[in-house]
Amino acid sequence: MKIDERKLKILQAIIHNYIINAEPIGSRTISKKYDLGVSPATIRNEMSDLEELGYLLQPHTSAGRIPSNKAYRLYVNGLVNNSHIDTKKGNKVDKKLIESIGQIEELIENSASILSKLTNYTSLAIAPQLKLSKIKHVQIVPVDEMRVLLVIVTESGMVKNTILRLDRSISKEQLNIISNLLTEKLKGKLIGHIGDVLQVKIIKDMYEFKDILESLIKNINKSVNSKESVELYSNGITKIFDFPEYNNIDRVKAFISFLENKDNVIEMLMNNGFNSMNNLAITIGEENSYEEIKNCSLITATYKVNGKTIGKIGVIGPTRMEYSKVIPLVQSISLDLSRILNKYFE
């Protein structure tokens, strides 16, 4: 059975009502509240069809219906395909972020705070700190005949040490030459862009050390993309208490306990898929991998520097989330972050 326009309008009315009120709704109430141009009996028949198709659930006998996860997915896909960003609201957010810029960590933390305040949901953001660091100095030091220690010092004073195993021995003098050239070429560059710079500019000039440079790229890429190099920011965790479906203390405990597990949250955010058109990712209810958030929806968007994705920001909350409000806000703040960070790293 196909969803025609009338069924779709009835379904949208039920979703809208449940997002606002968190209560099941019956055909008579729909007829009174929403001008659909059909009788309660017709609405009741259409609701039965929608329930049979899996778009509605009846939580109690003789009660009204509520949307299923399948209904939210249909609704959200329609929103994403037709969404647009409110430029006036986006400009206000942009100004708030620019006013707050100091350290990169502060900018991303403030972005999460603003997003939570604007949406009234729990916000989450991740940023690979190593990727966002600018290089000050590079040194390669011999450990033994076939191993060297790569030392990268960033402008913020962060030091990254990595042991590299070589396929051949290289003299201390040659390692110093490589170190000086790497410092000259990479100074002021983001660690996250080392691979591109080395492959394009340096390997050609130092082809005789191609094997070492390729090993260096591999190890740095592994380091900057690991969970250990990622910082997690969250805001508004207690906002979950505002929603009636979280009056259940066990459900609240499971939600908060999950968010306190940094590794799980980072893995969830890093593995959350992307919409190919706008880098937006939305998982609803049972689509989530973790049992603790099977009653939640997660909306995230990426932010970038020089076209490279360096982090994600988004919100998590009940499946009856105000998607029409949240989706444009998440998109807007992610774009603002990208714009500000690109200016910062010019």
Side-chain angles (χ1 to χ4, degrees):
M1 192 184 297
K2 191 176 181 182
I3 292 192
D4 56 31
E5 188 175 346
R6 186 165 68 189
K7 283 186 176 64
L8 191 57
K9 285 182 178 179
I10 292 170
L11 184 60
Q12 287 173 337
I14 294 170
I15 291 171
H16 179 265
N17 181 80
Y18 194 68
I19 285 173
I20 301 302
N21 300 312
E23 293 287 345
I25 189 171
S27 56
R28 287 187 177 278
T29 307
I30 294 173
S31 180
K32 288 178 182 178
K33 288 183 67 173
Y34 301 94
D35 184 17
L36 300 177
V38 291
S39 68
T42 300
I43 293 173
R44 187 160 50 251
N45 290 333
E46 296 286 29
M47 288 172 69
S48 294
D49 289 343
L50 287 167
E51 185 177 1
E52 188 178 327
L53 289 168
Y55 291 102
L56 294 180
L57 301 171
Q58 190 172 23
H60 307 289
T61 306
S62 77
R65 308 307 202 276
I66 64 173
S68 67
N69 289 338
K70 184 178 179 181
Y72 287 127
R73 171 52 62 194
L74 180 69
Y75 176 67
V76 165
N77 288 348
L79 285 176
V80 170
N81 291 334
N82 298 293
S83 68
H84 69 281
I85 296 171
D86 186 336
T87 53
K88 289 183 180 179
K89 188 173 286 186
N91 289 337
K92 289 180 182 178
V93 173
D94 192 30
K95 287 178 182 177
K96 285 183 181 179
L97 291 179
I98 290 173
E99 288 168 4
S100 72
I101 192 166
Q103 295 295 320
I104 299 302
E105 295 87 351
E106 183 184 351
L107 171 66
I108 297 168
E109 191 171 8
N110 284 340
S111 300
S113 175
I114 291 169
L115 184 57
S116 179
K117 287 174 183 175
L118 289 173
T119 62
N120 291 318
Y121 297 110
T122 301
S123 64
L124 301 167
I126 53 171
Q129 296 301 287
L130 205 54
K131 276 188 179 180
L132 291 173
S133 300
K134 288 185 177 181
I135 297 168
K136 182 179 181 181
H137 182 76
V138 180
Q139 187 67 46
I140 303 178
V141 182
V143 175
D144 56 34
E145 188 176 353
M146 301 302 290
R147 292 187 304 161
V148 296
L149 175 67
L150 168 68
V151 181
I152 299 176
V153 182
T154 69
E155 290 184 355
S156 63
M158 187 188 302
V159 178
K160 175 65 183 174
N161 299 323
T162 305
I163 295 287
L164 302 179
R165 182 170 293 278
L166 306 179
D167 293 328
R168 59 190 173 92
S169 62
I170 295 183
S171 68
K172 185 177 180 180
E173 290 74 20
Q174 288 176 314
L175 290 175
N176 282 334
I177 292 171
I178 296 172
S179 299
N180 292 335
L181 184 59
L182 288 176
T183 298
E184 177 189 335
K185 298 289 186 182
L186 297 176
K187 188 173 183 180
K189 299 287 191 302
L190 296 181
I191 287 184
H193 293 168
I194 281 182
D196 295 337
V197 177
L198 287 179
Q199 287 172 332
V200 174
K201 295 181 179 179
I202 299 179
I203 288 182
K204 291 180 181 178
D205 297 337
M206 301 183 64
Y207 195 79
E208 61 180 305
F209 303 117
K210 181 175 180 288
D211 53 341
I212 296 177
L213 297 176
E214 287 178 342
S215 178
L216 184 152
I217 293 170
K218 181 179 178 181
N219 277 273
I220 290 175
N221 285 340
K222 184 178 179 181
S223 295
V224 299
N225 290 313
S226 69
K227 283 193 289 187
E228 289 72 24
S229 71
V230 174
E231 191 66 34
L232 173 67
Y233 304 91
S234 61
N235 197 278
I237 292 177
T238 57
K239 289 182 184 292
I240 200 68
F241 291 109
D242 296 338
F243 302 100
E245 51 266 71
Y246 279 86
N247 287 338
N248 182 312
I249 191 67
D250 291 331
R251 185 176 287 186
V252 170
K253 282 182 179 178
F255 178 81
I256 292 177
S257 176
F258 175 78
L259 293 185
E260 287 177 344
N261 188 321
K262 178 183 174 181
D263 286 347
N264 282 351
V265 177
I266 288 174
E267 185 174 347
M268 171 187 72
L269 292 171
M270 291 179 76
N271 292 337
N272 204 27
F274 300 132
N275 179 293
S276 60
M277 291 181 64
N278 49 25
N279 284 341
L280 187 73
I282 303 171
T283 52
I284 299 171
E286 295 292 329
E287 295 171 0
N288 289 299
S289 302
Y290 293 90
E291 193 62 36
E292 300 91 331
I293 54 170
K294 293 288 187 181
N295 295 304
C296 296
S297 285
L298 174 68
I299 301 177
T300 62
T302 60
Y303 56 93
K304 303 179 178 183
V305 172
N306 296 330
K308 297 281 186 180
T309 297
I310 59 167
K312 277 189 177 183
I313 189 165
V315 298
I316 187 170
T319 52
R320 64 176 187 92
M321 189 180 286
E322 289 187 78
Y323 298 99
S324 60
K325 172 185 175 182
V326 176
I327 289 172
L329 282 170
V330 171
Q331 287 178 303
S332 179
I333 287 186
S334 68
L335 290 173
D336 287 335
L337 262 176
S338 295
R339 188 159 51 245
I340 293 167
L341 287 169
N342 275 287
K343 289 178 183 176
Y344 187 85
F345 287 116
E346 280 180 350

